Amino acid sequence: MEEETKIYQKDGVEAYVKHQVEHENEPFAPGAAFPFVKAVEAVNEQLRNLFPDSDELFDIVLVTNNHAQVGVRLINSINHYGIAAARIFSPNTGITVSQRQLRVAFDGDAVLFSDESEQIVKKHGLDKFFEHEQTNENKPLAMGPLKGFLESLGKLQKKFYIKGQRLTCPIRTYLVTARSAASSGARALKTLRSWGLETDEALFLAGAPKGPLLQKIRPHIFFDDQMFHVEGAKEMGTIAAHVPYGVSQKHREMEERKERVME
């Protein structure tokens, strides 16, 4: 809905609603999240074929604050494509992603895990962080906000594994973290193992930018709590979602307040 949003911003809500009503029989153009939803639907299709009586499928929910007059066009668009479409900000450059395999990438700390380790970094620096992680290597991290989502993906993956389709599973998950494999990666992997979870790939970047690697992985969506990594992913063509959780958000808000004061 980029073009429609421009009308709203330029001419106001009445012109926006009028435009939507006049074009209500025309489906919206696919947005940035469209490939993600297509891949989810492809997974559902395969699950239905393998497990006809199963009710464990992805539910796709459209949430919008649009005017009721726009509802007709939204419904028509849903019927046109057969799926619900939602608007998110498009990356600066586009990359082609799979429509038959759903790929989801997660950051670790403050996304899959709690922010306890990031608190050490913020308070005491990287050396203390490495020392803390090695000391607590066998102590699982507390769960983060998206642990449940990875868990749900894992349950669906196991359905395909039971049918001998591990290598052709239409769901693939990635851990993409700034942690170092040598100094702090073991605790992340052991935490996932303690939960009975795994990711198909675990990538430890030791502080390197995530955007170039995500460009190679081509996930449908990448979750991270750091806007630096979200912006970096977006610049390289990956649809990224900012997770507003953890100590990093407080530091970000403080920096923003300082900038406003200086202005």
Side-chain angles (χ1 to χ4, degrees):
M1 292 175 63
E2 283 91 350
E3 292 304 317
E4 290 79 8
T5 300
K6 289 176 183 178
I7 294 173
Y8 171 77
Q9 293 172 339
K10 180 182 177 183
D11 302 317
V13 66
E14 294 302 326
Y16 170 79
V17 172
K18 181 175 182 290
H19 173 84
Q20 298 286 33
V21 172
E22 289 175 349
H23 294 82
E24 65 181 24
N25 291 320
E26 302 172 15
F28 290 110
F34 197 85
F36 171 74
V37 180
K38 290 283 286 184
V40 166
E41 281 293 290
V43 174
N44 276 349
E45 180 184 346
Q46 295 187 53
L47 282 168
R48 291 189 191 101
N49 291 335
L50 287 173
F51 306 95
D53 299 324
S54 175
D55 58 358
E56 288 189 90
L57 301 171
F58 283 104
D59 286 326
I60 303 171
V61 181
L62 173 65
V63 180
T64 178
N65 62 354
N66 263 295
H67 193 282
Q69 294 276 24
V70 182
V72 174
R73 193 177 184 196
L74 285 169
I75 293 169
N76 285 341
S77 296
I78 291 168
N79 291 334
H80 175 82
Y81 294 112
I83 54 175
R87 175 183 180 271
I88 66 171
F89 290 101
S90 299
N92 296 342
T93 57
I95 57 175
T96 302
V97 294
S98 173
Q99 291 191 11
R100 301 301 300 172
Q101 184 183 63
L102 173 65
R103 299 177 184 176
V104 184
F106 301 89
D107 177 34
D109 296 291
V111 177
L112 291 179
F113 316 128
S114 73
D115 70 334
E116 62 180 81
S117 295
E118 286 197 358
Q119 291 185 40
I120 301 294
V121 174
K122 298 298 183 185
K123 289 180 181 179
H124 306 292
L126 280 175
D127 289 340
K128 284 292 183 181
F129 164 76
F130 294 138
E131 180 183 329
H132 177 267
E133 293 305 290
Q134 290 174 349
T135 301
N136 294 278
E137 179 180 317
N138 295 312
K139 179 183 177 182
L141 290 151
M143 61 180 283
L146 288 185
K147 183 253 188 178
F149 184 31
L150 177 62
E151 193 170 35
S152 296
L153 292 172
K155 286 179 180 178
L156 293 175
Q157 283 180 308
K158 287 175 182 176
K159 285 180 169 289
F160 291 98
Y161 298 168
I162 290 170
K163 295 290 185 177
Q165 296 186 17
R166 177 179 284 271
L167 297 181
T168 58
C169 179
I171 303 172
R172 192 164 184 84
T173 56
Y174 303 82
L175 171 65
V176 182
T177 174
R179 284 173 175 257
S180 166
S183 57
S184 57
R187 192 181 185 195
L189 294 178
K190 289 182 178 181
T191 295
L192 290 175
R193 186 189 304 162
S194 74
W195 294 341
L197 298 178
E198 60 180 305
T199 56
D200 293 292
E201 295 186 36
L203 305 160
F204 299 94
L205 303 188
K210 298 180 180 180
L213 184 61
L214 290 166
Q215 190 179 40
K216 300 294 184 183
I217 294 173
R218 297 176 182 266
H220 291 85
I221 195 164
F222 166 62
F223 297 95
D224 202 294
D225 68 306
Q226 305 264 12
M227 278 305 301
F228 169 77
H229 292 304
V230 171
E231 291 293 339
K234 180 181 170 184
E235 288 175 6
M236 301 296 289
T238 297
I239 296 171
H242 175 238
V243 180
Y245 171 82
V247 66
S248 294
Q249 312 312 312
K250 296 177 182 178
H251 282 260
R252 181 166 164 257
E253 291 170 2
M254 289 174 60
E255 291 299 321
E256 289 175 350
R257 281 199 293 269
K258 288 179 182 178
E259 289 177 5
R260 287 196 293 269
V261 170
M262 292 177 65
E263 290 174 355

